[in-house]
Amino acid sequence: MISIWMSVIVMLVAFVNGARNEDVIQPCANIRTSSSVVPLGSPVTATCVIREDCLPVIGQAVHIEWRLDDRFIPSSPVANESGGISEVVIPSFNHTRAFLTCCLQASPVQVAGGVEIRAGYPPESPQNLSCQTNLTTSNTLTCSWDAGQLETHLLTQYTLHTKIWDSNRNYTYKLPTGVHHYTIPRSDFVLFSEMEIYVEAVNELGEAASVPIILEPVSATKFDPPKILKVEAVPKRYGCLKLSWSLSQHQAWIRNFRLNLEVQFKTADSSQWSEQPILVSRIKPTRPVDQCRLLHGTQYFAQIRVRYQQSPWSEWSSSQSGVTLESAPTGRLDSWVKLSGDHMHKQINIHLFWKPSKQFRPNSRNVSYIVSVQKLPGVKGKVCSSMGNYCTFQLPRKAKKVYLSAVNTAGKSSPNEVRIYQPKALKVISDITATPRDDRALLVQWNSVDTSSIIGYVVEWRPLLKTDLSLTRFEFANRNESSIIITGGFEPYKPYGISVYPRFKDGIGLPQTVNAYSRQKAPSVVPKIRIKKTWKSHIELTWDEIPLDQRNGIIQGYKVFYWDEKGPINVVSAHPKERRVVLKDLKTVSLYEAFMMVSTFGGSINGSTIHFEMEPFDAVTIVMIVIASGVGMSLLVIFIVMTCFSNHKRLKGRFWPDVPDPANSSIKRWTSESTQDTQPSWDNDEPNPIYLSHLSFLDFPMKLSKHEDDLWLNSAEDTSDLGESICGSPFIPGYSGSNSYSVPYATVIFSSPCRSPPPKEPHVYLRSESTQPLLEAQESFSPKCYHNMATDGMPREQCFFGPCDDCIAEEGADPVVLWDDFPFLRALALNDTQND
């Protein structure tokens, strides 16, 4: 903009201050420069000569100064201003365009003359010249090139030159400014004649030409996309397809050209074309193409493209499909077996999953799978058949292996042996994690406690929201691996269960399982908060678990925000498994608001707000609580005091029972009150002899005879201790001193019920046995059979203890009692003095 105004000023000043010569206005000064167009950055020299007949300087001293646009430039020291001549040198001209003016130092300053100087660069040689022939309805040859990276800042003219060698015809085509391509009409080239083509660039600082190219126009043809007519299997040739094709309708006249052709394939279940297309050289459009080394019984999609010699490739044709001939499946299937069912049952449930290995070839579009076993009792050979990738069946627990085969219409594959191992209760996997790598892959990592017996791992995953077992996937890992990347159709925001099983030589160990998401976001819902319990200044809030299909990620925690009308906002966090919080130190008679926030790794969401109020206890309620507490404490104290100081024998016996000491018992000290529930004397150090370890009472309806009473009461031998006479007396017949598990005790016989008042007659005692020793750790013995003392109305042949082979009652006279034969009865002899 400044240069435009300066040019206007120069013209006006020259018109005003110029000298009139024959009615032609001449400028006051002449400016001469080395060049008006110079290379950018080069030096510029200019000289200003003032005319003698210039009116403003007649009769005055001349002072000259230089300006480049609006910037002052000092003149050269050699300038002769007194003679009206001045010279200036610009060491580096860095403007692409500027006005250099010569001014007179008058009042005001007056411009004597000026000149425009332009700077730039010479043109670069055009690069990447290429030409392409179009053989459609209007045959043309289009050439294009690159002008280069350097900006010349000067107007550059491009010219296309062609020369046909056979006819020696030359053509030149000038292009508009800024255009770097040109289309040569069909009349200016011959399809099968070579021609030379180059481009020339010219500006005010120089000219440059591109490297010429020599081509035959037909070899520069880019054909239209060809068309595949049909794709079919080659008879009796497995893995081969035949492609019939042709050129486009506009280029169908080129029948005898030998073209180069490329073919690419992809299977029906693949989204990627083959990385390296198959090249077929020098083939005519009328000839079909056979392609082999393909998979058997597989549907393929094919595309082709063509070119002539080194011409550009045409675009790819539309795809067409064909199927190769089928053959029997080949290769191995990877399998994974899981067992379930009661271990006590004879039959077990087997879940068998499989997938093709890298070597497996189905060789057919329709493949089924058969699971069979060797002949077992009650089991047919084929136990399962499926078109999918899993099968569930039952087998006897003794089954050790099954056989898996793939079948199609052409045959059956070799059976794959699958061993059935019983699960082992070994837990060696720990710290399993699953982190997303991208939307379609997860990184699974784990640790093993003991790897010495592990031969590998099985990583299994399945969607948790679907029950279809066909969606179960698995991968194998080596024993030295502790991580694996699993890929598949993972859906975002959906949970997947991932399990890692250890593999042993003789079984499968216990798995470790973790839930994972390929991508997470905030949950879809927030559970509703419920008030479960309220007391004076606390309140417990609970909520239900978020349904699995609405979590959209792994729940990291719950936060409850609450506040009253005047207080700040408080936050309480809860563990994901707790689903409860307790709000403490709440104010009474205050209205509170609260809401809950649920978070996952993908975001958070807030729930709706609830309101609650803490109500205080009224005076009546407080008084009732105090009274009830006081009454309860009083009753408890009274009960304890009565229990401790009561003389009631039965009550005391319940809380402080007396355990008798057989070592300090003496039957001869018994009193007539021995049949009563009597407590021991608290003042006597010696335990009451009444309490024995075993005391049994037998009631008889009739009294003993007077004669028999006297025999019991008038025994001449006095025994001071029952235990001594029973356990240790050497006078007992049959005593051998051998160990025994039983010790003789005593049985007291009453003629009246146990609970009745004490009888006047003395008691009768019978010998008994117990497994608890009384006084001494002496070896027990097996007593002989003792006859019962006969009473009126009682069977005489009754034996009270011990086996007896000769206890046969004799008819007639009363038996004679021999006291020496009954040391036990002699020890029980009691007199009136002793009873007293």
Side-chain angles (χ1 to χ4, degrees):
M1 192 68 179
I2 295 176
S3 61
I4 297 175
W5 279 107
M6 289 302 297
S7 61
V8 173
I9 292 173
V10 169
M11 297 302 295
L12 291 175
V13 171
F15 178 78
V16 174
N17 298 330
R20 183 177 299 274
N21 183 9
E22 297 177 356
D23 296 332
V24 176
I25 300 175
Q26 299 291 335
C28 288
N30 293 325
I31 297 178
R32 295 188 294 268
T33 61
S34 55
S35 177
S36 60
V37 180
V38 298
L40 193 63
S42 63
V44 174
T45 302
T47 303
C48 178
V49 179
I50 303 300
R51 294 170 58 88
E52 295 179 356
D53 55 352
C54 186
L55 296 178
V57 298
I58 296 176
Q60 297 181 11
V62 178
H63 298 282
I64 301 173
E65 65 178 21
W66 293 88
R67 290 182 180 275
L68 185 62
D69 285 341
D70 57 350
R71 184 169 59 89
F72 171 77
I73 300 176
S75 60
S76 175
V78 299
N80 184 7
E81 293 185 0
S82 61
I85 300 174
S86 179
E87 185 180 75
V88 68
V89 176
I90 303 174
S92 178
F93 191 83
N94 293 323
H95 302 269
T96 58
R97 192 171 190 175
F99 279 92
L100 182 63
T101 57
C102 174
C103 302
L104 300 178
Q105 291 183 351
S107 182
V109 177
Q110 298 179 357
V111 177
V115 64
E116 183 185 29
I117 301 176
R118 292 178 294 115
Y121 298 104
E124 286 185 297
S125 299
Q127 305 293 323
N128 301 325
L129 175 62
S130 63
C131 298
Q132 179 177 312
T133 305
N134 182 15
L135 295 181
T136 56
T137 304
S138 176
N139 296 342
T140 57
L141 179 63
T142 302
C143 297
S144 60
W145 60 91
D146 295 333
Q149 300 295 328
L150 183 62
E151 174 63 43
T152 62
H153 303 291
L154 299 173
L155 183 62
T156 303
Q157 183 74 43
Y158 290 92
T159 305
L160 177 65
H161 300 272
T162 64
K163 179 180 180 181
I164 303 175
W165 286 0
D166 291 348
S167 59
N168 199 18
R169 290 182 295 174
N170 298 334
Y171 297 94
T172 301
Y173 309 98
K174 291 186 177 182
L175 279 66
T177 302
V179 177
H180 302 139
H181 60 86
Y182 187 76
T183 299
I184 303 174
R186 178 65 179 87
S187 59
D188 292 349
F189 67 92
V190 179
L191 283 176
F192 300 98
S193 296
E194 290 186 343
M195 59 189 305
E196 180 181 355
I197 304 173
Y198 68 93
V199 179
E200 185 180 33
V202 178
N203 66 12
E204 295 175 283
L205 294 179
E207 60 182 22
S210 66
V211 176
I213 60 173
I214 299 174
L215 58 82
E216 185 181 14
V218 70
S219 65
T221 301
K222 181 177 181 179
F223 288 89
D224 293 338
K227 181 179 180 181
I228 299 178
L229 302 178
K230 185 169 55 174
V231 179
E232 58 185 349
V234 180
K236 298 182 180 181
R237 294 180 64 184
Y238 293 100
C240 294
L241 290 176
K242 178 183 290 185
L243 284 73
S244 301
W245 63 285
S246 67
L247 294 174
S248 66
Q249 181 180 359
H250 299 293
Q251 299 169 351
W253 55 273
I254 308 176
R255 295 179 175 272
N256 296 323
F257 279 25
R258 291 189 174 272
L259 306 175
N260 297 327
L261 182 141
E262 278 188 343
V263 186
Q264 65 179 6
F265 292 96
K266 71 173 181 179
T267 59
D269 56 353
S270 175
S271 60
Q272 301 292 330
W273 294 96
S274 55
E275 296 181 358
Q276 187 63 38
I278 302 171
L279 176 63
V280 181
S281 301
R282 298 180 61 78
I283 185 173
K284 293 182 178 180
T286 56
R287 180 182 174 183
V289 178
D290 290 348
Q291 290 298 314
C292 296
R293 298 183 180 180
L294 304 176
L295 299 178
H296 301 184
T298 305
Q299 182 181 13
Y300 281 94
F301 287 89
Q303 286 182 334
I304 60 173
R305 63 180 182 179
V306 296
R307 73 176 182 179
Y308 178 74
Q309 295 182 359
Q310 300 302 318
S311 68
W313 285 104
S314 68
E315 300 298 328
W316 288 101
S317 68
S318 59
S319 61
Q320 292 290 336
S321 66
V323 181
T324 57
L325 294 179
E326 292 185 355
S327 63
T330 58
R332 181 177 56 84
L333 292 167
D334 293 333
S335 58
W336 161 234
V337 180
K338 296 173 64 177
L339 306 183
S340 65
D342 187 2
H343 68 281
M344 299 298 294
H345 202 271
K346 294 183 179 180
Q347 296 284 330
I348 55 175
N349 297 324
I350 298 178
H351 308 275
L352 177 60
F353 302 87
W354 60 83
K355 66 176 183 177
S357 65
K358 294 181 179 180
Q359 298 80 21
F360 179 76
R361 298 291 181 268
N363 298 329
S364 175
R365 289 184 296 172
N366 297 319
V367 181
S368 61
Y369 301 91
I370 295 177
V371 181
S372 59
V373 297
Q374 292 180 342
K375 292 183 178 180
L376 293 174
V379 179
K380 297 181 179 179
K382 184 173 72 172
V383 296
C384 183
S385 178
S386 173
M387 296 289 292
N389 61 345
Y390 82 99
C391 202
T392 300
F393 50 91
Q394 286 188 339
L395 283 180
R397 186 169 295 277
K398 63 181 180 180
K400 299 299 181 182
K401 56 186 175 181
V402 295
Y403 297 91
L404 176 63
S405 302
V407 181
N408 61 16
T409 56
K412 181 179 180 181
S413 69
S414 299
N416 296 263
E417 182 180 286
V418 180
R419 290 197 167 272
I420 302 174
Y421 295 106
Q422 295 295 328
K424 300 173 67 68
L426 294 178
K427 186 176 180 180
V428 298
I429 304 296
S430 63
D431 300 332
I432 177 175
T433 60
T435 55
R437 293 293 296 268
D438 52 44
D439 290 346
R440 300 184 60 84
L442 292 171
L443 173 62
V444 183
Q445 297 175 300
W446 65 89
N447 292 326
S448 300
V449 178
D450 180 18
T451 60
S452 59
S453 59
I454 295 178
I455 63 173
Y457 303 93
V458 179
V459 181
E460 178 192 80
W461 68 95
R462 65 180 183 87
L464 297 179
L465 300 180
K466 299 178 181 179
T467 59
D468 188 1
L469 290 179
S470 65
L471 301 176
T472 303
R473 299 289 183 267
F474 64 93
E475 285 288 348
F476 295 116
N478 297 327
R479 57 172 299 181
N480 297 326
E481 294 180 320
S482 61
S483 64
I484 190 174
I485 296 177
I486 58 177
T487 58
F490 293 108
E491 298 182 43
Y493 321 127
K494 302 296 182 182
Y496 289 83
I498 302 174
S499 302
V500 178
Y501 293 79
R503 298 172 58 203
F504 303 95
K505 290 183 179 180
D506 56 347
I508 303 295
L510 297 178
Q512 281 290 312
T513 302
V514 67
N515 294 348
Y517 291 79
S518 62
R519 188 191 301 174
Q520 301 185 41
K521 66 178 180 180
S524 300
V525 297
V526 177
K528 185 178 180 180
I529 301 177
R530 299 191 304 271
I531 299 176
K532 182 178 181 181
K533 186 178 181 182
T534 303
W535 54 101
K536 184 175 182 181
S537 61
H538 301 346
I539 185 172
E540 181 179 357
L541 303 179
T542 62
W543 57 89
D544 295 330
E545 187 177 12
I546 301 176
L548 184 60
D549 59 341
Q550 295 180 329
R551 295 179 191 174
N552 301 330
I554 299 175
I555 302 298
Q556 295 303 300
Y558 304 91
K559 289 185 178 181
V560 175
F561 298 82
Y562 66 98
W563 64 95
D564 61 1
E565 298 173 345
K566 300 179 180 180
I569 297 178
N570 302 303
V571 182
V572 178
S573 299
H575 192 270
K577 296 183 179 179
E578 290 184 359
R579 302 196 301 279
R580 61 176 293 274
V581 294
V582 177
L583 309 184
K584 300 180 179 180
D585 302 328
L586 302 178
K587 301 176 183 178
T588 58
V589 198
S590 295
L591 181 63
Y592 280 87
E593 297 182 42
F595 71 89
M596 184 171 62
M597 181 178 71
V598 187
S599 302
T600 67
F601 282 116
S604 303
I605 184 174
N606 296 335
S608 58
T609 302
I610 66 170
H611 300 78
F612 60 91
E613 184 176 1
M614 302 301 297
E615 297 182 358
F617 290 101
D618 55 7
V620 177
T621 304
I622 296 175
V623 170
M624 292 180 64
I625 293 175
V626 172
I627 293 175
S629 301
V631 172
M633 290 297 297
S634 301
L635 292 175
L636 179 61
V637 171
I638 293 172
F639 177 77
I640 294 174
V641 171
M642 293 181 65
T643 303
C644 294
F645 299 99
S646 175
N647 293 325
H648 197 280
K649 297 179 180 180
R650 290 184 177 273
L651 180 62
K652 276 193 171 184
R654 294 297 180 184
F655 291 96
W656 295 280
D658 287 325
V659 178
D661 186 1
N664 296 316
S665 299
S666 178
I667 294 180
K668 72 179 183 178
R669 299 181 184 178
W670 289 3
T671 65
S672 62
E673 300 175 356
S674 61
T675 59
Q676 303 298 321
D677 292 337
T678 306
Q679 294 296 325
S681 175
W682 297 99
D683 300 328
N684 191 0
D685 294 334
E686 181 181 0
N688 194 324
I690 296 174
Y691 287 86
L692 299 177
S693 298
H694 178 76
L695 187 64
S696 62
F697 302 92
L698 300 178
D699 295 336
F700 290 92
M702 302 182 65
K703 295 182 180 180
L704 296 174
S705 65
K706 180 73 171 57
H707 175 72
E708 291 166 346
D709 273 356
D710 294 338
L711 289 177
W712 283 94
L713 296 175
N714 299 325
S715 176
E717 185 178 353
D718 185 15
T719 305
S720 61
D721 197 316
L722 172 65
E724 180 179 356
S725 64
I726 292 176
C727 299
S729 177
F731 300 100
I732 299 176
Y735 172 77
S736 63
S738 60
N739 292 331
S740 175
Y741 292 101
S742 63
V743 176
Y745 272 42
T747 301
V748 183
I749 303 176
F750 292 91
S751 60
S752 62
C754 297
R755 303 286 179 181
S756 64
K760 298 180 181 180
E761 294 83 6
H763 310 304
V764 178
Y765 303 92
L766 295 180
R767 185 172 184 172
S768 180
E769 291 185 355
S770 174
T771 58
Q772 180 175 353
L774 283 175
L775 301 177
E776 299 177 2
Q778 296 180 354
E779 295 180 353
S780 62
F781 57 91
S782 298
K784 292 183 178 181
C785 177
Y786 290 90
H787 293 279
N788 182 29
M789 302 302 297
T791 58
D792 296 340
M794 182 176 179
R796 300 172 54 87
E797 67 275 12
Q798 181 177 1
C799 287
F800 281 88
F801 56 87
C804 181
D805 296 333
D806 55 352
C807 289
I808 302 174
E810 296 181 2
E811 299 290 339
D814 295 334
V816 179
V817 178
L818 299 178
W819 292 106
D820 292 336
D821 295 333
F822 296 89
F824 173 69
L825 297 179
R826 174 180 293 183
L828 298 177
L830 301 176
N831 51 41
D832 296 335
T833 303
Q834 291 172 332
N835 288 336
D836 293 337

